[in-house]
Amino acid sequence: MLKRIYQPAAYRTDTLPDSYWVESASPLPVCETLPEEGHLKTDIAIIGGGYCGLSTALELARNGASVAVFDAGRSGWGASGRNGGFCCMGGSGKGFGQLAKSFGEDAVKQFARHQRDAIDLVDQRLNDWGIDADRHSDGEVVLAHKPNRVAELAHEAQELSHFTTIPTELLSRDALKERGLCAAETYGGLHVQAGFGINPMKYLSGLHEQCVRAGVRIFEQATIERFEEDGDTYRLYAGNTQITAAKIVIATNGYSAENLPDWIGGRLMPVFSGILITRPLRPDELENQGWTSDLMAFDSRILLHYFRKLPDNRFLFGGRGGITATPKAFAAGKQDLLDNFKRMFPAWQDVAFTHHWNGLACLSQSWRPYIGQVPGHHDVWTALAWHGNGVAMASLGGKLLAERMLGICDEDDLGAVLTTPMDKFPMASLRRVARSIGYRYYGLHDRFA
């Protein structure tokens, strides 16, 4: 039986999320379902059909491997269909300077190049595959939510200049208003000129199509419950169906089970993030608030909010979406989002919302991703823990993982930041309790510090 950190409501895989992305993207083609009993054989079995799993599958299939993807729901059921569509820098919960203290400056510069390469990979895919994913935004802007955060943005600009070649621009409060970036509790900003916003399901649909064209078999409603080694191969079990594979890839990120495999247990902290979408806003409503820009934005809070104007003038507003998977917690998370939205955008107090949903972002004990072999297994691999930045990094992470499995690249090519396994959380069984206490502390810190 799969062990989960949250209640069953967080893992209902019978339908896709009731999101604006699902509604606005073309339906995915119906894929295969597992027989009620029987036996399948494949070179490589990939558990998880999101950006990472499909990117891994595509690269492997294009290099001649027989690949089967098994998703407990449908592709895009998890975080790949629930995120805010920010294709941008990120992937770690630590800044470049903090990481450099552990790994050195050269390793962190390599990690920063991977982040930029990840954005470029998604850009290339959209262009090469002719995907109209409602792309917009020249990078993203970080907004200081308190006067004392402006100096932190200046420090972040210095770090970006040192570790990357990405142009940045510090913006005063007046400059933000001039550029149509007017929100309450905003005292300055940093425009990071890398990345863009997309409809994540439209991108996922294109990736899904490319996998099918390359010969990848994609199985839906296919929950892998366990696997075991059998000599040089593995046997995976889904109900009464057995799958034999030479290699396994775990690409389940925040929806990972604690015991598939056991090594994952205690190393990840999935956290809920919720998103609201307004009806299309009229030009006069945008002018009244002073937010007319299509730049992706997020604020400097630890428990941050992220938001952007979509191409059809809907407004997306996201943030932490609850601490447990109960109806009461989901309702409280939605209300908290509404309260913060109305406080930050007071001119839109009475604007109606058409969609609300939430999903799990994935943090690790080390506050960075991991790409490589699962310790204790001779041919089980994983790539996960994108820290809320999976549109870009999960896409590249899957590709890099496939190249690592094929011997096209080695650990040095990926770098120490990505290839050092994360440890377990201290007192891992109490992670949810500690996270709840942490949320209260961070909320007070964001408000008063």
Side-chain angles (χ1 to χ4, degrees), residues 54-383:
L54 294 182
S55 294
T56 307
L58 181 61
E59 193 70 19
L60 291 169
R62 285 179 169 177
N63 281 274
S66 165
V67 185
V69 174
F70 303 92
D71 198 286
R74 300 199 71 190
S75 293
W77 174 87
S80 296
R82 299 172 186 262
N83 65 83
F86 284 52
C87 181
C88 58
M89 297 290 290
S92 172
K94 292 184 177 181
F96 292 142
Q98 289 177 289
L99 289 171
K101 293 177 182 178
S102 299
F103 296 99
E105 292 198 354
D106 289 344
V108 175
K109 288 180 179 179
Q110 183 181 22
F111 179 47
R113 287 195 298 273
H114 285 313
Q115 293 181 32
R116 186 60 184 267
D117 289 346
I119 296 171
D120 292 342
L121 174 63
V122 177
D123 173 63
Q124 180 184 354
R125 286 176 169 178
L126 296 178
N127 292 329
D128 291 351
W129 300 343
I131 301 172
D132 181 4
D134 304 331
R135 174 175 172 163
H136 70 92
S137 185
D138 175 22
E140 60 184 341
V141 61
V142 191
L143 301 174
H145 78 284
K146 302 190 83 171
N148 62 4
R149 297 298 195 272
V150 175
E152 294 179 7
L153 295 186
H155 176 72
E156 184 174 342
Q158 292 175 348
E159 277 201 349
L160 282 166
S161 177
H162 181 76
F163 289 100
T164 78
T165 59
I166 297 171
T168 61
E169 182 182 8
L170 285 165
L171 302 172
S172 68
R173 196 174 189 179
D174 289 340
L176 290 172
K177 292 180 179 179
E178 291 170 3
R179 300 192 188 190
L181 295 162
C182 185
E185 301 179 355
T186 300
Y187 299 89
L190 175 65
H191 182 191
V192 180
Q193 297 170 33
F196 47 87
I198 61 171
N199 181 315
M201 275 300 290
K202 290 184 177 181
Y203 166 50
L204 183 90
S205 295
L207 176 57
H208 187 280
E209 179 183 354
Q210 293 297 317
C211 284
V212 173
R213 288 184 178 182
V216 176
R217 299 183 71 183
I218 301 175
F219 292 88
E220 301 173 341
Q221 303 296 321
T223 300
I224 303 299
E225 297 158 347
R226 62 188 177 91
F227 66 81
E228 57 189 34
E229 293 188 18
D230 183 12
D232 293 333
T233 62
Y234 290 92
R235 294 187 184 275
L236 301 87
Y237 297 89
N240 293 323
T241 303
Q242 181 177 298
I243 302 105
T244 300
K247 303 175 188 289
I248 296 174
V249 171
I250 308 293
T252 42
N253 204 40
Y255 292 87
S256 298
E258 293 279 286
N259 58 340
L260 192 71
D262 288 338
W263 175 81
I264 284 180
R267 288 179 165 81
L268 303 177
M269 183 66 249
V271 295
F272 285 102
S273 188
I275 291 176
L276 294 165
I277 300 282
T278 72
R279 63 162 171 79
L281 298 167
R282 301 188 307 270
D284 65 297
E285 291 175 313
L286 297 170
E287 290 288 349
N288 288 341
Q289 174 56 51
W291 194 284
T292 56
S293 173
D294 71 350
L295 276 180
M296 301 182 295
F298 64 95
D299 62 30
S300 58
R301 291 174 173 84
I302 299 174
L303 301 179
L304 61 83
H305 306 110
Y306 52 93
F307 35 93
R308 60 186 177 105
K309 182 174 72 70
L310 303 182
D312 65 354
N313 284 350
R314 295 175 188 268
F315 199 80
L316 177 153
F317 187 81
R320 293 294 173 255
I323 57 175
T324 59
T326 65
K328 182 178 179 180
F330 287 156
K334 180 180 180 180
Q335 187 60 52
D336 184 62
L337 275 181
L338 282 167
D339 293 343
N340 282 291
F341 171 83
K342 291 178 179 180
R343 191 182 69 252
M344 294 186 68
F345 300 97
W348 298 338
Q349 290 282 324
D350 299 322
V351 168
F353 290 87
T354 61
H355 298 81
H356 167 257
W357 68 92
N358 57 43
L360 293 172
C362 185
L363 315 182
S364 73
Q365 180 275 340
S366 64
W367 291 99
R368 53 182 169 74
Y370 173 61
I371 301 174
Q373 282 186 275
V374 173
H377 295 274
H378 71 271
D379 242 334
V380 179
W381 301 75
T382 192

